[in-house]
Amino acid sequence: MKKLFYLGIIGLILFEFLNVYFIMPLPGSQRIRSIDLAYFLYTWRWAFRGFFVLLLIVGFLQAFKTSKWLSLGGLVLVFGAIYAFNFQMAADTMFYQPQSLQMKPAKANKIEKDRIVIGIELNGQARAYPISLIGYHHQVLDTLAGKKIMVTYCTVCRTGRIYEPIVGGKPEKFRLVGMDHFNAMFEDETTKSWWRQANGEAIIGKLKGQTLPELFSEQTSLEKWLALHPNSLIMQPDEHFKEKYDSTAKYEKGKSKSDLTRTDSLSWKEKSWVVGVAIGKDSKAFDWLRLKKERVINEQVGAKAIALVLAADNKSFFAFERPSKEAKFQLRSDTIIVDNRKFMINGKSVNGSESLIKVKAYQEFWHSWQTFHPTTQKY
């Protein structure tokens, strides 16, 4: 009987470890396709736990009679493993949601103007979310122009997205459950399906294959965003988490020393920065260093002629459709010139009501863009 007790100890500790291992950035875990196994373990976690606890109960008395301290030590190990893997290493116990979401106008803003934000505008209303804040929270829920929005950011992939948290036509709640191939992964409250941050796709569970509606967003410096949207509200730090935020901007500047969030100084390395553009089934990655050098890139993504421009702050970038393959964009003092017409860097006409057609573009680590766009081309 005592063998059952020790089998229960080993089995329970191993299960708790594996239940976390496949969905957290532990050595080797994110480089294998393990999502099916991870979801199976998570879905049946109480069955596994119940089975191993039953073994513990059945064999405890005999194990205790044979070796009091060894059996008690085994129980201590079990409780320690349960606490460590469920309360110290679980994603949603490491990164919390804001207790109070404060959005302030420029006059009351406390965020430095040179910080990077994910910005969104809907029906004339604009909001800016500093990545130094949402990079910790991973997701922030808000309401803009009467629409619920879910602002997400993954620091290990270096990319932000804004979605409508709508599933099956109804509002849904999500929690951070872990990672898949180094990308943040959320679980919906209703079906417990797991959703990928980089593209809003449900990758496992009842809703596998469905995607969240994505809203157009842009990554800029706060200064540039406010120049283009002076009435925008800006997310402010939650005092409960001020020690968790990237207060020194090391991450934003590519100075992080962490293996997960560091930046490669050369192009086309795992942690090199790229700007990714996907149009239909076609996608292309643009080297950030080359974009900084050229400032404006006239290129094609599939059959679509596009232009990618970088503002003088070296932080704010924008992508547009070109009127034709022959039309070439030029950039002068953050003014776009095409076919003798002038536009502000966000595509709005300087002299008229005409605007350029915007294209979704994302800054991202090369390893992330390549993983989720395996057929992407390189510029």
Side-chain angles (χ1 to χ4, degrees), residues 279-337:
I279 300 176
K281 295 182 179 180
D282 299 304
S283 62
K284 184 167 289 188
F286 298 84
D287 173 33
W288 183 262
L289 297 179
R290 187 170 175 181
L291 176 60
K292 286 178 67 175
K293 181 179 179 180
E294 298 184 14
R295 316 300 304 181
V296 56
I297 296 174
N298 294 284
E299 187 54 33
Q300 285 187 214
V301 178
K304 183 71 67 176
I306 67 115
L308 181 63
V309 299
L310 179 66
D313 60 14
N314 283 337
K315 298 177 180 180
S316 311
F317 61 92
F318 306 85
F320 308 96
E321 290 186 17
R322 284 188 285 145
S324 67
K325 294 180 181 179
E326 293 73 28
K328 302 296 183 183
F329 281 38
Q330 294 180 306
L331 190 62
R332 297 176 186 170
S333 302
D334 282 359
T335 297
I336 297 171
I337 302 173

Side-chain angles (χ1 to χ4, degrees), residues 107-135:
K107 289 184 179 180
N109 169 60
K110 297 181 180 179
I111 301 294
E112 297 91 338
K113 294 291 184 66
D114 64 342
R115 303 306 291 266
I116 298 173
V117 300
I118 302 297
I120 180 173
E121 180 185 21
L122 283 176
N123 298 327
Q125 298 183 29
R127 301 279 173 93
Y129 302 87
I131 67 171
S132 60
L133 308 185
I134 56 175

Side-chain angles (χ1 to χ4, degrees), residues 12-31:
L12 192 54
I13 292 176
L14 181 61
F15 168 75
E16 295 296 349
F17 169 71
L18 293 177
N19 194 39
V20 170
Y21 174 79
F22 292 116
I23 56 174
M24 292 299 285
L26 297 171
S29 68
Q30 296 296 303
R31 298 187 183 278

Side-chain angles (χ1 to χ4, degrees), residues 71-349:
S71 58
L72 292 178
L75 290 178
V76 170
L77 283 176
V78 166
F79 287 121
I82 291 173
Y83 176 77
F85 294 127
N86 290 278
F87 297 97
Q88 294 294 311
M89 297 181 66
D92 59 349
T93 61
M94 296 173 66
F95 306 100
Y96 293 92
Q97 292 300 294
Q99 293 190 18
S100 175
L101 179 61
Q102 298 184 46
M103 306 297 296
K104 298 287 184 69
K107 289 184 179 180
N109 169 60
K110 297 181 180 179
I111 301 294
E112 297 91 338
K113 294 291 184 66
D114 64 342
R115 303 306 291 266
I116 298 173
V117 300
I118 302 297
I120 180 173
E121 180 185 21
L122 283 176
N123 298 327
Q125 298 183 29
R127 301 279 173 93
Y129 302 87
I131 67 171
S132 60
L133 308 185
I134 56 175
Y136 166 74
H137 296 297
H138 284 74
Q139 64 149 323
V140 172
L141 299 177
D142 200 0
T143 301
L144 178 61
K147 187 186 295 288
K148 291 184 179 297
I149 64 173
M150 176 180 173
V151 186
T152 72
Y153 196 87
C154 178
T155 54
V156 182
C157 288
R158 198 181 175 89
T159 196
R161 303 285 192 280
I162 300 181
Y163 300 104
E164 288 187 72
I166 303 295
V167 178
K170 299 180 180 179
E172 184 58 89
K173 292 183 179 180
F174 294 84
R175 74 177 184 92
L176 182 68
V177 71
M179 303 185 77
D180 174 57
H181 286 83
F182 295 105
N183 185 238
M185 189 166 55
F186 302 102
E187 178 186 77
D188 70 71
E189 188 177 70
T190 303
T191 73
K192 309 301 182 183
S193 299
W194 289 355
W195 304 73
R196 183 178 289 148
Q197 181 270 344
N199 56 15
E201 179 186 6
I203 56 175
I204 196 75
K206 293 181 180 179
L207 302 180
K208 181 178 179 179
Q210 294 191 29
T211 56
L212 296 175
E214 184 183 357
L215 299 171
F216 188 89
S217 62
E218 294 170 314
Q219 180 176 309
T220 73
S221 67
L222 179 57
E223 183 175 28
K224 177 59 67 175
W225 181 259
L226 288 176
L228 298 171
H229 307 275
N231 295 321
S232 176
L233 297 181
I234 306 106
M235 180 183 174
Q236 302 299 299
D238 186 326
E239 289 299 314
H240 294 91
F241 306 104
K242 60 182 179 180
E243 295 182 357
K244 302 290 187 180
Y245 295 139
D246 177 26
S247 60
T248 63
K250 280 188 177 181
Y251 173 78
E252 293 183 32
K253 297 176 181 177
K255 303 298 184 181
S256 172
K257 300 299 182 181
S258 166
D259 284 341
L260 293 173
T261 57
R262 65 178 176 80
T263 294
D264 282 314
S265 59
L266 301 178
S267 302
W268 306 115
K269 303 297 182 181
E270 278 203 348
K271 293 292 185 178
S272 300
W273 299 1
V274 301
V275 173
V277 176
I279 300 176
K281 295 182 179 180
D282 299 304
S283 62
K284 184 167 289 188
F286 298 84
D287 173 33
W288 183 262
L289 297 179
R290 187 170 175 181
L291 176 60
K292 286 178 67 175
K293 181 179 179 180
E294 298 184 14
R295 316 300 304 181
V296 56
I297 296 174
N298 294 284
E299 187 54 33
Q300 285 187 214
V301 178
K304 183 71 67 176
I306 67 115
L308 181 63
V309 299
L310 179 66
D313 60 14
N314 283 337
K315 298 177 180 180
S316 311
F317 61 92
F318 306 85
F320 308 96
E321 290 186 17
R322 284 188 285 145
S324 67
K325 294 180 181 179
E326 293 73 28
K328 302 296 183 183
F329 281 38
Q330 294 180 306
L331 190 62
R332 297 176 186 170
S333 302
D334 282 359
T335 297
I336 297 171
I337 302 173
V338 56
D339 294 337
N340 295 318
R341 294 173 294 164
K342 293 183 178 181
F343 300 86
M344 292 187 293
I345 198 153
N346 64 343
K348 293 184 178 181
S349 176

